[in-house]
Amino acid sequence: MPMGLASRMAANDGIQFCVFDSRRGQQEGQEIDKILFFFPPDSPFSAQLSVVGLSGGIITFTRLFSPDAACEVIEEERHSHVFYQAEPDIWMILIVEKNRDTESVWRCDALRDILKEVHSLFTMFNGPLQTLLDKQPSGELARSCLYTFITDYLTDFHVGKKIQMPSFRDCLKERRTVQMLTVSREMAIEVQSLANVIRSSSGSIACKSLILFQDLLVATMLSPGDTANMFAYAVLRLTPHALSSNTRSWSYLRRGVSASNVTESATLLNAGSRTEEYPHGSRDTSPGRHSQRNYIPRPLQRDKWSKGKDGFLVSDVRDEVHITPIVWLQETEEHMYLCVYQHRNLTIILLIPVSSLIDGEQGIALVKKQLLENASEKIAYVEEKISKGWGGENAYHVSGYRYLLVDSDRSISRASPPGKVTTLAKDSFLALNKLREEVDLEKARASREKPDHEHNFEMCIRAKNNAWIIAKIAQGRELYMVLEKANETLLYASEAVEKFSNRYCDGAFSLD
Amino acid sequence: MSGKASSDQSQVALNGSGALSHVYIQHPPLRCNVPGIQGLYYDDGNKLLLAPSSDQVLSWKVGTSTQLDPPSSDFVGEGPVLSIRYSLDGKLIGIQRSNHEIQFKNRETGGTFSQRCKPDSESILGFIWTDCPSCDVILIKTSGIDLLSYEPDLNTFRLAETKRLSVSWYVYTHESRMVLLASGMQCTIFSGFQFSSAGIVRLPKFEMAMVKAEANHKPVLTAEDIHIVTIYGRIYCLQCDRVGMRLNVYRFYRDAVVQQGTIPIYSTRVAVSVIDNVLLVHQVDAKVVILYDIFLDCLSPISAPLPLLLRGTSVNNRQALQVEDNLTSAYNAMIYGDNWIFLVPDLICDSDNGLLWRIFLDLEAIAASSSDVPSVLEFLQRRRSDPSKIKMLCLTIIRAIMLERRPISIITKAIDVLVISYAHLVKMDNVIHGADRNSKRNQNSGSQSTTTSIVASAEFSGETMNRGKSITGVENESQRSTIRNLEDANVNYAEKSNSKASFNSLSDLDGDRNHDVMRSNSGELVGNSSSTDLLSSDAMKDINRSTSLQDSSYLKQPSVQSEGLACSSSRSDACVSNQQETQFTNVAISPDEMYDSIFASVEEELGGDPAYLIAVIIEFLRCSTKEKLRVHPNIYKLIIQILVRTSSYSELALFVTNKILEPSKEVALQLLEQGHQNSQIRKLGMDMLRHLSLHHDFVTVLLQDGYYLEALRYARKQKVITVHPSLFLEAAVAANNSQHLAAVLRFFSDFTPSFKITSDYNRYHMILSEMS
């Protein structure tokens, strides 16, 4: 690792983020062509190249021993490099700086989840990167899409002027999972009935919908993977909470953290620097110029969505015409129009196959009209009923416990409410973070040895502050727990888990 | 019944019978054209058609059969006959000989006696037999009514009571037990009495409205203009206003008569029939009939005016059409002829030709004439005449609209109708069974005569709360059934038919309910259950005072019973034929039948659109849940199959975790079975097994999947000893893990007594030593 890279990075936000295509730029002197995205964008090319070069080298090297799963992480004294193979030839690297202070402790899998999330969200709106590259081999389309998308995505991690990656304090959260609202059977049927009304009013069998209440999922017709992506997006940008926080942060963003004027700066930077140093013919279409000719959607742009008068959220208005965003579903490999209707706390995401509407925006307008006619009464009813039965943000708090429950098969998680989690001592967090790292390793090892077998195991440690830190894996479900005010004995701790499992997990963790 | 057969049938059913009509009379008519008879009389109390000849009277029982039994005859001696009625127990015959004399004859002894009036000051308008406790015959005279009580020993009548009032003419139907006495210049002022087994109710005097034709000409109301009809157990009166060309509809409450509105008429002569609680207004001059269903007090017609059809009986449809053609040409002139007399409630007597026609509703045609499916289903669910046929029709309609892919909103409403109807039946059934038990107890203690009958109009929802307060109790059913018991000499059978065929309840149960109603309505507890009748009347006043004219206090009759009453003389017959049907079928469609006849059978035909079927089933579940009906696990299994077939795994997972599919062993096993394609679904099935504490099955499934150590731990924890040790051992051998095998072997040696002496132990011990 050349020291130069680290020293230059220190001046930045403490992270580097790189996406590269290992097949491109094979000839000497053209290595820069590998790079599809680099953050910070103003890094000199030498620095970019050194990251890509190192990563590519390590990947090639580790493949010698482990052809299927190459390098996952490099730990340096002052940096962690987290690798993610997003597509067969597409790699994403996140480099985070280890500060002297103790706050920069994290779990590599949590960081990798960020890479996964960026990639899956990107794929949802733009399709797989490889497809973009195939469509336009020069890579400019892919670059400009990635540039706006990832930069918009990273605005969510801004704390002050710095980018703050998730740390050990976030170990009772699981990215890329869905948080569900628990409803009674009666309510579930009502919701399902509403989903059917929505589907039928769209006039197409292939329509799909998701229903959210506040930031919780109530019903979905998508596969777990697509659901997780759509849910993540909704919570980031669509739910009432997301909408209001967008408007609140508006003025702050305007002042300069490059969020709203990403495209402009990209134009300057990329067009300027690259044409200077690498005057290739193909470079003529720089992202900036391209974006002026071709419309590049920026679904993650803050303040993108606003609620229209008819209850539908609107995103892009160009030439006074609404442009409905299009998403790409992994499961069916279909392009869908994304329509969002919001009534108070209820957000309804309606996905209409692009292929089913011949007349585009007009057709969507008709579907919207029908939805309002057929379903608005029912939507109001369901919203009211759920609101009445909703226990508030601490609804899923279990006193005495701080927990995280993950159903990895279905990409669902539930955790103690954030307000309650923050009451934990730092030692507890650190211990849990450590424990989770161990569990991650154990899980990875077990699934390498016996891929088709469910692995059940349990870990329990006593932290410095005498808190019990427990992890229990059973039949694909994971339970992490911190008991700070627990008794001395391990027996007490395991009874506490048993009690929790029986009451809140249908006994899923009390198998033995 | 198979889906295929019924769908073929449905083609025919929904198309109706070819000719456009909703109401028909069936050929051949009942024939009673015996030579020498002097007119035909209808005794609606006994459902007898009476034909006096020179010195005797022939009587036909008009039952539900299509043919009349041979008439029985009674010798009555010579003399003019103005009207003739048999007593309700059939022991006496009353014949009005003149305006001043009625002759009575005891059929057993042959003795006769006469009842006369003062020839100069009054004349007899008619008489009726009653089952009112205080009298047997009511004599209606121009000067008032006499209540006469029969003295069998003296073979004469004793005057029980006289009510003085001037009477121009009267109308009476036995069905309603209601007599309306007209007086006044235009005969528009009415007094009303109801003589039921529960006692006598006197209605307040009321006046009917008439439109004036010209300034000086005031029309006079005649008896033919007044029709008393009993619909859904409520008593209505239809007054024909020939000048205004309309029927005024009045409904009778205990203490009030309320005009409900008007029905326009298109003929100066109208007749009224009630068939299965559907009101038929025959526009005689126009030769069409218009149908009304006034269940919701809605006076708009349910059909366009259409002619009355004469229908042949042939089974074959084409042949039937031909026959119909022939018949139409033969009888066309006869339909709505001048000689037609409309009898209460559903008969037409052709007095000239001695023919008796029964009117039928063509429910298929009515159903086919409207596109508003939910209303059609509501209409059908209110019908009681031919339960199995109506049920079939409803199922056919639902299936048809599903196959047509009507919008979910329509299907939802249609399903709601059926489910709600069934839910009512279930609720009522509980009540009836309760009453049944009570009435048995009553009979055992021989207390029938002391229990006043509170009639349960069990059928119709909104009214059930008020049944305790109903005063009609037209017949003391248990007395009646006792009589029948004697006749049939079959106590058990009659008991059954009584409780099932007519939804009657008498008893403390009702008394208790009365108390409850009382408490909730007026906040005070009145009387006690032994004097229900009194209680109810007191209660009535209280409630009326507080709630003015709510439905809580109308006069009413049990709907099903009205059928039973209408043919009381042939009642036992009716019971025989109806008993099985009423016992086993009802128009209401149970969730199981919904599954069998709709969801399961329609699935294949809907093949291309499983989401639609799922949507429909969800609506069905929604409504069933709301009505707290249990749904058969088969429906859940069907949902699982469809969702797995369409790979909608996340929806299925959602359905299971949200318990939309209620957990049960069947559902769990189905999930496991379908989970071969998707381990996630299989896991849901296992979770369900564990959650239902089906530990044995859970352990077995774990073993099947090769999780023998987990299975062993779970078995130990939940103390499952029913799974044979060899299954665990075999799984460990299959995994080819000698350590695990040793552990399992050790486990059973330690925890299962005498395991060491079994052959299993030796066998696996051998295997283990070979492995290591």
Side-chain angles (χ1 to χ4, degrees):
Chain A
M1 178 80 203
M3 287 308 288
L5 174 59
S7 59
R8 238 164 294 171
M9 220 180 73
N12 287 310
D13 292 316
I15 71 150
Q16 283 179 307
F17 194 126
C18 172
V19 181
F20 71 93
D21 180 348
S22 58
R23 282 190 316 178
R24 298 173 74 94
Q26 294 293 339
Q27 283 171 4
E28 195 154 339
Q30 304 214 347
E31 288 89 350
I32 197 78
D33 195 35
K34 282 179 189 285
I35 302 174
L36 300 176
F37 171 79
F38 202 93
F39 182 90
D42 50 356
S43 314
F45 285 113
S46 56
Q48 299 189 14
L49 280 174
S50 94
V51 166
V52 173
L54 173 70
S55 305
I58 294 274
I59 290 164
T60 318
F61 177 66
T62 50
R63 271 211 174 126
L64 294 174
F65 314 103
S66 170
D68 297 332
C71 184
E72 287 178 342
V73 63
I74 309 173
E75 292 287 355
E76 291 175 357
E77 194 189 347
R78 296 193 51 201
H79 293 97
S80 291
H81 297 233
V82 181
F83 288 64
Y84 172 53
Q85 187 176 9
E87 289 170 37
D89 298 304
I90 309 287
W91 285 84
M92 299 173 92
I93 318 287
L94 180 65
I95 303 166
V96 281
E97 192 182 9
K98 296 175 185 172
N99 282 335
R100 292 278 171 243
D101 64 68
T102 49
E103 287 297 314
S104 53
V105 176
W106 48 74
R107 202 160 54 87
C108 286
D109 277 20
L111 295 182
R112 191 169 300 109
D113 280 341
I114 290 180
L115 297 177
K116 289 179 179 174
E117 185 173 86
V118 174
H119 180 256
S120 47
L121 286 177
F122 180 84
T123 313
M124 184 165 82
F125 285 101
N126 302 289
L129 261 173
Q130 195 60 59
T131 320
L132 279 183
L133 290 170
D134 293 345
K135 208 169 17 173
Q136 208 208 42
S138 73
E140 292 316 317
L141 178 62
R143 283 193 183 95
S144 45
C145 287
L146 274 173
Y147 182 79
T148 53
F149 195 89
I150 299 179
T151 318
D152 283 337
Y153 177 79
L154 289 176
T155 56
D156 285 288
F157 295 91
H158 277 292
V159 176
K161 286 205 162 187
K162 280 193 71 136
I163 285 183
Q164 178 87 56
M165 283 290 129
S167 72
F168 66 98
R169 292 189 186 274
D170 296 301
C171 57
L172 278 179
K173 278 181 200 155
E174 188 75 354
R175 197 172 283 275
R176 303 186 66 243
T177 56
V178 171
Q179 283 81 58
M180 301 281 299
L181 178 76
T182 300
V183 290
S184 66
R185 174 171 190 265
E186 210 167 315
M187 204 56 237
I189 294 177
E190 286 291 353
V191 169
Q192 208 55 47
S193 161
L194 170 63
N196 289 330
V197 171
I198 292 168
R199 170 159 32 192
S200 71
S201 58
S202 68
S204 166
I205 307 163
C207 272
K208 311 261 173 164
S209 67
L210 282 90
I211 301 174
L212 286 91
F213 178 80
Q214 294 189 350
D215 284 356
L216 298 167
L217 184 72
V218 188
T220 175
M221 291 183 178
L222 302 179
S223 69
D226 285 325
T227 301
N229 293 339
M230 197 41 94
F231 176 81
Y233 181 66
V235 171
L236 285 175
R237 294 294 180 264
L238 301 178
T239 59
H241 181 248
L243 285 180
S244 63
S245 67
N246 281 346
T247 45
R248 258 188 273 125
S249 50
W250 164 253
S251 56
Y252 160 72
L253 287 168
R254 269 288 161 193
R255 261 185 277 122
V257 194
S258 75
S260 326
N261 35 17
V262 168
T263 326
E264 289 84 331
S265 60
T267 314
L268 289 171
L269 272 168
N270 289 343
S273 59
R274 282 195 181 152
T275 36
E276 267 170 39
E277 288 181 40
Y278 298 91
H280 293 291
S282 64
R283 294 262 172 249
D284 280 352
T285 28
S286 67
R289 264 177 267 165
H290 188 84
S291 75
Q292 277 151 18
R293 258 189 287 142
N294 249 351
Y295 164 68
I296 293 182
R298 290 179 57 190
L300 277 179
Q301 190 180 10
R302 283 194 173 256
D303 71 9
K304 170 95 171 170
W305 294 89
S306 58
K307 196 168 165 183
K309 275 182 203 148
D310 56 357
F312 283 94
L313 301 193
V314 281
S315 55
D316 274 338
V317 184
R318 287 200 312 160
D319 306 331
E320 303 198 350
V321 176
H322 293 290
I323 306 291
T324 307
I326 292 174
V327 296
W328 185 84
L329 295 184
Q330 291 171 0
E331 189 199 22
T332 52
E333 305 202 332
E334 242 185 320
H335 284 99
M336 313 285 256
Y337 285 114
L338 171 65
C339 293
V340 187
Y341 179 81
Q342 205 161 73
H343 174 74
R344 292 168 191 258
N345 289 314
L346 209 61
T347 306
I348 290 163
I349 301 176
L350 179 63
L351 301 172
I352 313 160
V354 172
S355 56
S356 75
L357 290 180
I358 309 150
D359 45 358
E361 293 295 331
Q362 258 180 309
I364 293 169
L366 187 70
V367 169
K368 284 181 174 176
K369 192 169 152 260
Q370 279 170 343
L371 183 79
L372 286 177
E373 276 170 13
N374 297 329
S376 50
E377 201 176 311
K378 196 152 192 147
I379 291 170
Y381 172 77
V382 166
E383 199 277 339
E384 195 193 325
K385 284 283 244 189
I386 296 183
S387 289
K388 264 185 198 161
W390 166 232
E393 60 175 3
N394 284 340
Y396 300 128
H397 175 57
V398 181
S399 67
Y401 294 85
R402 298 294 180 273
Y403 68 93
L404 168 68
L405 195 59
V406 184
D407 184 339
S408 46
D409 294 322
R410 296 177 56 207
S411 308
I412 291 175
S413 72
R414 171 167 295 173
S416 297
K420 298 288 179 182
V421 170
T422 50
T423 63
L424 284 180
K426 188 176 175 185
D427 280 342
S428 304
F429 278 124
L430 284 168
L432 178 62
N433 194 60
K434 187 80 193 140
L435 182 71
R436 286 204 64 181
E437 269 191 323
E438 291 297 323
V439 171
D440 290 340
L441 283 174
E442 180 64 27
K443 273 186 340 197
R445 209 184 38 147
S447 70
R448 268 199 304 276
E449 283 167 7
K450 266 186 175 181
D452 300 328
H453 201 79
E454 298 282 1
H455 304 279
N456 298 349
F457 58 91
E458 187 174 0
M459 287 190 209
C460 200
I461 58 172
R462 186 89 158 157
K464 270 188 230 160
N465 61 346
N466 282 343
W468 284 107
I469 316 291
I470 303 158
K472 195 160 184 179
I473 316 295
Q475 303 288 318
R477 291 196 185 87
E478 300 165 27
L479 174 64
Y480 302 97
M481 197 175 265
V482 179
L483 301 169
E484 279 195 333
K485 291 184 189 110
N487 201 303
E488 289 295 316
T489 65
L490 182 61
L491 194 66
Y492 173 90
S494 87
E495 265 173 17
V497 173
E498 176 94 6
K499 220 161 88 185
F500 184 88
S501 157
N502 286 333
R503 277 190 76 176
Y504 303 101
C505 319
D506 288 344
F509 296 97
S510 17
L511 299 178
D512 43 31
Chain B
M1 96 199 27
S2 88
K4 287 267 179 284
S6 54
S7 74
D8 290 344
Q9 226 171 331
S10 75
Q11 286 299 318
V12 180
L14 287 178
N15 290 338
S17 61
L20 209 52
S21 98
H22 293 148
V23 180
Y24 64 94
I25 51 178
Q26 185 88 48
H27 184 82
L30 306 173
R31 290 178 191 280
C32 40
N33 45 351
V34 178
I37 58 170
Q38 304 157 355
L40 286 169
Y41 297 87
Y42 185 62
D43 176 2
D44 64 347
N46 298 302
K47 287 256 156 187
L48 286 177
L49 195 65
L50 302 171
S53 61
S54 57
D55 61 350
Q56 59 176 358
V57 60
L58 298 175
S59 61
W60 289 269
K61 266 185 187 174
V62 181
T64 48
S65 65
T66 48
Q67 275 193 316
L68 286 179
D69 294 330
S72 56
S73 69
D74 283 285
F75 181 80
V76 289
E78 287 190 29
V81 176
L82 296 185
S83 74
I84 179 164
R85 281 176 182 273
Y86 280 46
S87 69
L88 298 180
D89 57 9
K91 286 180 181 161
L92 294 166
I93 307 174
I95 303 163
Q96 187 180 355
R97 293 293 189 184
S98 71
N99 284 343
H100 307 289
E101 182 191 2
I102 295 173
Q103 188 185 51
F104 292 94
K105 179 173 190 251
N106 190 320
R107 292 174 78 189
E108 281 162 14
T109 61
T112 60
F113 58 96
S114 289
Q115 194 77 25
R116 292 186 179 78
C117 69
K118 295 169 214 153
D120 37 345
S121 61
E122 57 183 19
S123 66
I124 296 175
L125 295 168
F127 71 103
I128 49 181
W129 294 94
T130 172
D131 48 10
C132 174
S134 59
C135 58
D136 297 300
V137 160
I138 289 138
L139 210 59
I140 299 130
K141 303 181 292 186
T142 49
S143 62
I145 53 175
D146 286 349
L147 278 58
L148 306 175
S149 177
Y150 182 56
E151 302 285 335
D153 304 335
L154 304 169
N155 199 28
T156 183
F157 280 110
R158 179 175 55 78
L159 182 66
E161 201 184 335
T162 300
K163 292 180 194 292
R164 293 265 144 235
L165 50 128
S166 93
V167 180
S168 308
W169 45 262
Y170 78 101
V171 278
Y172 174 77
T173 66
H174 190 74
E175 199 180 36
S176 63
R177 306 294 199 272
M178 176 89 95
V179 60
L180 288 181
L181 309 168
S183 60
M185 286 289 285
Q186 286 177 277
C187 300
T188 50
I189 297 162
F190 284 87
S191 305
F193 294 91
Q194 191 190 32
F195 300 98
S196 74
S197 54
I200 302 166
V201 179
R202 180 170 188 160
L203 290 173
K205 231 174 210 186
F206 65 101
E207 186 168 0
M208 287 188 182
M210 293 278 273
V211 174
K212 277 185 205 164
E214 293 146 36
N216 293 326
H217 180 75
K218 285 184 178 172
V220 178
L221 208 57
T222 65
E224 286 73 43
D225 294 330
I226 299 294
H227 309 272
I228 301 173
V229 292
T230 312
I231 300 172
Y232 296 115
R234 315 160 187 160
I235 301 170
Y236 292 89
C237 174
L238 306 180
Q239 172 224 345
C240 178
D241 184 339
R242 290 164 200 262
V243 178
M245 287 299 270
R246 63 186 194 195
L247 280 175
N248 293 325
V249 180
Y250 302 87
R251 181 164 162 190
F252 293 128
Y253 295 81
R254 171 181 268 274
D255 59 354
V257 180
V258 177
Q259 184 166 357
Q260 305 276 299
T262 60
I263 296 174
I265 54 174
Y266 308 98
S267 157
T268 47
R269 260 187 75 206
V270 291
V272 168
S273 309
V274 175
I275 297 155
D276 202 0
N277 293 312
V278 177
L279 176 66
L280 274 56
V281 180
H282 304 273
Q283 319 282 336
V284 176
D285 296 344
K287 299 203 177 194
V288 289
V289 56
I290 304 178
L291 277 58
Y292 300 88
D293 182 13
I294 51 177
F295 181 70
L296 298 172
D297 291 333
C298 161
L299 293 178
S300 52
I302 54 167
S303 72
L306 285 172
L308 182 70
L309 185 77
L310 176 63
R311 214 191 239 191
T313 44
S314 170
V315 184
N316 184 310
N317 216 34
R318 195 173 301 160
Q319 216 176 319
L321 282 177
Q322 280 175 5
V323 173
E324 262 161 42
D325 284 344
N326 296 343
L327 284 173
T328 317
S329 51
Y331 286 93
N332 206 9
M334 167 213 83
I335 288 183
Y336 287 124
D338 290 339
N339 51 354
W340 268 19
I341 300 163
F342 291 84
L343 303 176
V344 173
D346 59 351
L347 296 171
I348 298 169
C349 179
D350 184 343
S351 53
D352 288 4
N353 302 311
L355 300 177
L356 192 67
W357 303 92
R358 186 181 290 280
I359 311 172
F360 295 95
L361 289 180
D362 187 347
L363 291 175
E364 286 100 332
I366 296 170
S369 70
S370 169
S371 58
D372 182 0
V373 175
S375 331
V376 167
L377 289 173
E378 273 178 359
F379 173 79
L380 289 175
Q381 287 290 309
R382 288 198 287 264
R383 306 283 74 81
R384 292 291 176 266
S385 57
D386 189 350
S388 52
K389 187 176 164 192
I390 290 170
K391 194 185 250 180
M392 274 295 303
L393 192 58
C394 290
L395 290 170
T396 308
I397 290 172
I398 290 272
R399 272 231 310 267
I401 57 171
M402 280 176 71
L403 291 177
E404 285 168 26
R405 314 275 162 97
R406 293 274 192 97
I408 292 290
S409 54
I410 302 280
I411 309 264
T412 306
K413 281 184 200 148
I415 284 179
D416 278 4
V417 169
L418 295 187
V419 173
I420 288 168
S421 168
Y422 181 75
H424 278 312
L425 177 81
V426 171
K427 275 176 216 151
M428 287 309 110
D429 221 29
N430 292 338
V431 172
I432 290 155
H433 283 307
D436 199 10
R437 256 174 271 126
N438 277 301
S439 70
K440 249 177 210 156
R441 197 175 62 218
N442 285 340
Q443 219 162 38
N444 290 343
S445 59
S447 62
Q448 294 101 308
S449 46
T450 58
T451 46
T452 35
S453 118
I454 310 290
V455 179
S457 165
E459 295 292 275
F460 299 100
S461 55
E463 310 181 0
T464 54
M465 278 304 283
N466 315 310
R467 43 206 290 256
K469 288 165 267 163
S470 138
I471 47 142
T472 9
V474 175
E475 234 164 295
N476 191 326
E477 190 55 29
S478 44
Q479 274 177 338
R480 187 153 262 282
S481 74
T482 330
I483 296 165
R484 200 163 60 242
N485 287 353
L486 296 175
E487 287 168 3
D488 293 353
N490 186 342
V491 179
N492 285 334
Y493 164 70
E495 168 67 29
K496 229 191 219 166
S497 65
N498 170 31
S499 56
K500 285 289 176 186
S502 58
F503 292 161
N504 245 45
S505 62
L506 21 131
S507 66
D508 319 11
L509 182 85
D510 277 285
D512 292 344
R513 190 175 305 101
N514 252 352
H515 284 261
D516 291 339
V517 172
M518 259 9 327
R519 234 177 267 132
S520 59
N521 279 345
S522 54
E524 53 180 319
L525 187 58
V526 206
N528 61 59
S529 56
S530 65
S531 61
T532 22
D533 204 22
L534 188 68
L535 171 73
S536 27
S537 31
D538 286 350
M540 302 298 303
K541 281 171 203 150
D542 284 348
I543 288 160
N544 284 336
R545 230 173 281 139
S546 56
T547 62
S548 68
L549 274 178
Q550 299 274 321
D551 273 18
S552 57
S553 53
Y554 53 76
L555 292 172
K556 66 188 179 60
Q557 259 185 317
S559 61
V560 165
Q561 204 194 3
S562 67
E563 191 193 1
L565 290 170
C567 52
S568 51
S569 61
S570 61
R571 192 186 174 93
S572 327
D573 297 7
C575 287
V576 174
S577 61
N578 284 340
Q579 189 200 358
Q580 283 192 324
E581 281 179 358
T582 37
Q583 207 156 2
F584 300 116
T585 63
N586 187 291
V587 277
I589 295 165
S590 72
D592 290 2
E593 288 166 316
M594 289 286 268
Y595 169 76
D596 291 334
S597 310
I598 299 180
F599 303 130
S601 71
V602 93
E603 191 209 344
E604 212 171 284
E605 295 166 78
L606 269 177
D609 194 356
Y612 182 80
L613 181 56
I614 292 285
V616 173
I617 297 178
I618 289 294
E619 291 306 321
F620 171 69
L621 291 180
R622 191 182 54 77
C623 196
S624 303
T625 310
K626 213 193 267 166
E627 298 296 328
K628 300 190 170 56
L629 291 180
R630 273 198 66 79
V631 173
H632 196 273
N634 276 342
I635 289 189
Y636 301 134
K637 284 163 78 175
L638 180 69
I639 295 179
I640 295 169
Q641 285 162 11
I642 296 172
L643 289 177
V644 166
R645 206 183 317 128
T646 54
S647 309
S648 313
Y649 298 117
S650 51
E651 273 183 277
L652 179 52
L654 203 64
F655 281 23
V656 173
T657 46
N658 281 335
K659 298 198 170 62
I660 291 179
L661 312 179
E662 287 175 298
S664 69
K665 188 173 176 179
E666 290 98 324
V667 172
L669 294 178
Q670 182 75 34
L671 286 169
L672 288 170
E673 193 191 318
Q674 299 286 333
H676 284 306
Q677 291 128 335
N678 182 309
S679 64
Q680 185 51 42
I681 300 306
R682 194 168 167 80
K683 254 187 228 175
L684 290 171
M686 290 188 64
D687 288 345
M688 194 177 283
L689 281 181
R690 193 187 62 232
H691 194 55
L692 293 168
S693 300
L694 297 167
H695 301 311
H696 173 95
D697 301 84
F698 184 71
V699 169
T700 316
V701 175
L702 277 177
L703 280 174
Q704 277 169 14
D705 292 355
Y707 294 95
Y708 51 94
L709 289 182
E710 286 83 355
L712 201 60
R713 283 191 214 117
Y714 191 82
R716 172 138 195 256
K717 176 171 176 156
Q718 302 295 344
K719 301 185 179 62
V720 180
I721 50 164
T722 46
V723 182
H724 201 270
S726 65
L727 291 172
F728 294 91
L729 292 161
E730 197 49 57
V733 171
N736 201 20
N737 189 328
S738 60
Q739 270 184 7
H740 285 179
L741 178 60
V744 176
L745 207 55
R746 178 64 190 269
F747 174 89
F748 283 111
S749 311
D750 285 358
F751 290 104
T752 312
S754 73
F755 175 72
K756 274 192 170 173
I757 54 167
T758 60
S759 59
D760 278 338
Y761 176 77
N762 292 327
R763 189 166 154 246
Y764 287 99
H765 198 69
M766 291 259 290
I767 296 173
L768 181 63
S769 41
E770 277 164 24
M771 279 165 95
S772 52

